[in-house]
Amino acid sequence: MTVDVATSIARILKQEGVEWVSTFPVCRVNNALGRENVPMVMMRDDRYAIAVADGFSRITAGQRIGVCTVQGGVNAAGIQYSYAGLAQAFEDGSPILCITDGVAIGASENSQFDVTSSLKSVSKWYGYIDKPERTPEFMRRAFTMLRSGSPGPVILAVPDPTGTYDETLDPYKPVKGWKSAPDPADVTTAVEMILNANNPLIYAGEGVIYAGASAELKEFAELVNTPVITTLKAKGAFPENHPLFVGVRGDHTAHYLENSDLILAVGSSLSPGRFSHGIPGAASKTIILCNVNELHINKIYPSAHAIIGDARFTLQALIGEATAKTSGAGRPAGNVAAEVKSVRDSGMAQYREAMASDDKPMNPYRVYGDMMKALDPLNSFVTHESGNTRDQLSTVYETLIPRGFLGWGNVSTLGFSLAATIAAKLANPEKLCVAVTGEAGLGYMLGNLEVPVRLKLGITIVHISNGGFSGYGPGFWGDGHDPFTHVVQGYDDVDMSKVIGQLGLYTERVSEPSEIIPALERAFKANESGQPSYIEFICSQFPVYGQWVAG
Ligand SMILES: Cc1ncc(C[n+]2csc(CCOP(=O)(O)OP(=O)(O)O)c2C)c(N)n1
Ligand SMILES: [Mg+2]
């Protein structure tokens, strides 16, 4: 049977279980997607087409791959504009498939922009389908990479979507992902080191979520009776109401990073300076790095030891070895949990106080505290924006399940929260899905607010409306920074609930603390019938949150 490349791609995506493709016009594969009944989530710009696929892959931990298409070729406006989204997916290790038009054979060296070298710099693999017959080979290879090893974006460029080949010569079969298990000798050494440590600490990264290893992380932490901190991206990998949970950031987290003598990093690359902690006094600590990717060993900090492999297999092996070594007794309990509670309680005290504040303009922590009351932590999704909403929420938002909260940002590109929340709703229609944003994130997302209205995606946007880029106000980078780049029109100048209401969202503007929960409930009610909501909370600028610890 003769098939054209675009149709073949559409059929292979269906075989691979792809439910929809996010897009912005026009990629020349899209017509085949339409003909083959692959639903398209049409965004209002190319970067958001990438970001929705990115959010979907993160939220489903790569179990369901986000796929997007954008314009490319010689007139590469779409892919050029998408570059920010691709760079973000690459930097944060998100396994998305991006399909774009390739520069046609015979049309190279025409444009100034070098598509190939630029896209290679933001992808795990950039494939150029240079012959129609190679379509199944490239798709097979793409999905293998998307499901195996270190997660990251794959980009396929299609120079000739109309080229044909005989599909019976290489019939497509869906591919699985392959995993690696650790060397048992490395596991034995690691367990000896952990059992000999005085104050070990588990530093859990997003690899735990991608490996689906949260249950194993909990079992291992309990067995070796070791406190746990998670990275921003791994927030929720460990239940935050657990007696061994320390935090993501804050003085309590710093205390444990400073005072531990051994750090077992599982599924984290330990790369400081990108919305994550450095390791204080690293030279006098023992660092064991457990990662699927050997490129992270001895990166920045010396690794005293390493275990290469999938985080779930690694934790299972660690559990087995630690059980055997201690005849099932584990590490003595001592007063580890009591100490975690006391250090955490004192670190959290100032935020708990802010969460109970009756101030007007409202303290943003009061909004977060009330959100925690209004949402079921086991059946909701919350994400932050770049700015204070990230810093504050990642300090206090109690997360009980993986992806009950999505922390993001090796780089945190403004506007991503809307894409992530749309993706969360597409992944889990039964969940309440909430994006919390400031002015800057809202500015990025405005054009795309039409999408959830059109698609009847009942998501809620919580706007911490504080009239400025508060992280950039006085005091952030020393005196004198204000007012050069931090003041924008605030709630006294414009009523965003009216502006956004005209787009068709359910909107409210709230300035009374006692109205936070009722307003959220009305917003969620509107969501039930497929109407997205926007609530503007009139807040103070309160740039107070847990710091990242310097290395
Ligand atoms: C694409 C992009 N450009 C620049 C930044 C730097 N940046 C981070 S937060 C921020 C402003 C945040 O202000 P706002 O949204 O009002 O949030 P607030 O801190 O007031 O809660 C900027 C400019 C970024 N994260 N992403
Ligand atoms: Mg602001």
Side-chain angles (χ1 to χ4, degrees):
M1 285 289 278
T2 297
V3 67
D4 64 80
V5 171
T7 303
S8 170
I9 289 174
R11 290 180 184 162
I12 290 171
L13 291 178
K14 286 199 286 189
Q15 279 183 275
E16 288 291 359
V18 172
E19 298 154 66
W20 47 263
V21 170
S22 50
T23 190
F24 184 75
V26 61
C27 170
R28 291 176 67 219
V29 171
N30 283 359
N31 283 342
L33 297 177
R35 281 194 304 271
E36 293 294 317
N37 299 314
V38 177
M40 277 176 276
V41 174
M42 195 189 65
M43 300 305 295
R44 295 299 295 267
D45 72 67
D46 323 71
R47 177 262 170 138
Y48 271 92
I50 307 283
V52 167
D54 177 349
F56 191 72
S57 287
R58 293 188 204 218
I59 288 154
T60 63
Q63 296 301 304
R64 295 151 83 189
I65 298 292
V67 181
C68 51
T69 60
V70 289
Q71 177 193 39
V74 174
N75 176 13
I79 197 79
Q80 285 183 15
Y81 197 69
S82 302
Y83 190 83
L86 289 165
Q88 185 186 12
F90 185 56
E91 192 66 57
D92 275 18
S94 178
I96 61 166
L97 176 61
C98 173
I99 298 168
T100 186
D101 310 298
V103 173
I105 292 167
S108 68
E109 300 304 321
N110 176 337
S111 43
Q112 298 289 99
F113 178 66
D114 181 352
V115 179
T116 305
S117 59
S118 72
L119 297 186
K120 278 190 169 170
S121 72
V122 289
S123 58
K124 182 170 177 178
W125 182 51
Y126 166 77
Y128 177 86
I129 307 181
D130 58 359
K131 206 174 175 197
E133 288 78 348
R134 301 192 74 185
T135 306
E137 173 202 336
F138 275 58
M139 293 296 281
R140 202 155 46 221
R141 199 162 164 203
F143 274 96
T144 303
M145 276 190 221
L146 289 163
R147 293 184 178 131
S148 310
S150 240
V154 169
I155 304 171
L156 284 181
V158 183
D160 182 12
T162 57
T164 57
Y165 71 98
D166 178 357
E167 66 178 339
T168 60
L169 295 179
D170 185 6
Y172 191 82
K173 291 191 201 73
V175 294
K176 70 187 285 290
W178 280 270
K179 293 177 179 168
S180 52
D183 181 338
D186 291 337
V187 173
T188 304
T189 306
V191 167
E192 275 165 13
M193 293 165 89
I194 295 161
L195 294 178
N196 283 331
N198 293 321
N199 299 304
L201 175 69
I202 297 174
Y203 190 101
E206 204 181 24
V208 171
I209 294 181
Y210 275 101
S214 284
E216 288 79 2
L217 174 63
K218 184 163 162 282
E219 190 181 339
F220 182 66
E222 287 170 356
L223 180 66
V224 293
N225 201 36
T226 294
V228 178
I229 68 172
T230 62
T231 63
L232 173 64
K233 291 201 297 162
K235 189 169 162 57
F238 192 77
E240 297 190 353
N241 57 357
H242 191 283
L244 289 172
F245 177 69
V246 177
V248 172
R249 56 203 292 182
D251 293 348
H252 43 298
T253 308
H255 171 94
Y256 275 90
L257 279 166
E258 276 152 15
N259 294 312
S260 61
D261 59 342
L262 179 142
I263 292 180
L264 179 77
V266 186
S268 162
S269 65
L270 279 190
S271 309
R274 313 145 89 212
F275 303 108
S276 57
H277 299 291
I279 306 295
S284 58
K285 290 193 199 309
T286 302
I287 297 175
I288 305 177
L289 194 99
C290 308
N291 207 287
V292 75
N293 185 346
E294 78 283 1
L295 296 180
H296 296 312
I297 302 175
N298 280 322
K299 178 176 166 187
I300 317 282
Y301 300 112
S303 312
H305 183 55
I307 302 178
I308 298 288
D310 172 83
R312 195 157 70 90
F313 292 150
T314 299
L315 285 162
Q316 282 170 351
L318 288 168
I319 292 165
E321 181 66 16
T323 305
K325 275 252 158 60
T326 62
S327 313
R331 258 170 65 87
N335 58 350
V336 174
E339 210 176 293
V340 168
K341 181 170 168 24
S342 126
V343 175
R344 188 171 150 76
D345 279 349
S346 84
M348 289 294 284
Q350 61 169 319
Y351 307 111
R352 288 181 180 150
E353 193 185 316
M355 283 192 275
S357 157
D358 284 325
D359 288 356
K360 280 172 70 176
M362 294 183 290
N363 187 299
Y365 283 99
R366 172 66 191 262
V367 179
Y368 310 146
D370 282 9
M371 274 174 59
M372 287 193 238
K373 292 180 190 153
L375 287 164
D376 172 1
L378 302 177
N379 198 27
S380 58
F381 169 89
V382 172
T383 194
H384 57 85
E385 252 307 327
S386 181
N388 276 186
T389 61
R390 171 198 54 232
D391 303 316
Q392 295 162 337
L393 282 165
S394 56
T395 304
V396 299
Y397 195 84
E398 190 175 87
T399 310
L400 303 187
I401 53 168
R403 301 317 195 201
F405 181 93
L406 180 72
W408 46 275
N410 283 348
V411 292
S412 58
T413 311
L414 280 162
F416 184 70
S417 71
L418 174 66
T421 306
I422 287 175
K425 194 71 188 172
L426 289 166
N428 304 109
E430 74 291 352
K431 287 192 178 178
L432 288 173
C433 297
V434 182
V436 184
T437 184
E439 281 63 41
L442 189 69
Y444 277 73
M445 62 179 78
L446 273 173
N448 280 274
L449 288 179
E450 181 265 343
V451 177
V453 176
R454 172 167 37 89
L455 299 181
K456 300 194 170 36
L457 294 171
I459 60 170
T460 288
I461 292 150
V462 164
H463 177 192
I464 302 298
S465 181
N466 59 16
F469 302 152
S470 66
Y472 293 77
F476 184 62
W477 284 330
D479 287 339
H481 197 67
D482 173 61
F484 300 115
T485 60
H486 115 280
V487 177
V488 291
Q489 282 205 320
Y491 44 78
D492 288 335
D493 309 296
V494 56
D495 184 338
M496 287 307 287
S497 69
K498 290 200 176 121
V499 175
I500 292 175
Q502 286 301 308
L503 288 170
L505 287 90
Y506 174 82
T507 66
E508 281 193 46
R509 165 177 258 226
V510 176
S511 46
E512 286 294 334
S514 61
E515 272 302 303
I516 299 172
I517 291 177
L520 285 171
E521 281 168 353
R522 290 188 288 270
F524 299 154
K525 185 89 202 137
N527 291 171
E528 276 171 28
S529 53
Q531 186 184 23
S533 302
Y534 162 89
I535 311 289
E536 181 178 18
F537 290 102
I538 309 303
C539 289
S540 60
Q541 295 190 10
F542 191 72
V544 178
Y545 44 83
Q547 299 301 313
W548 299 120
V549 178

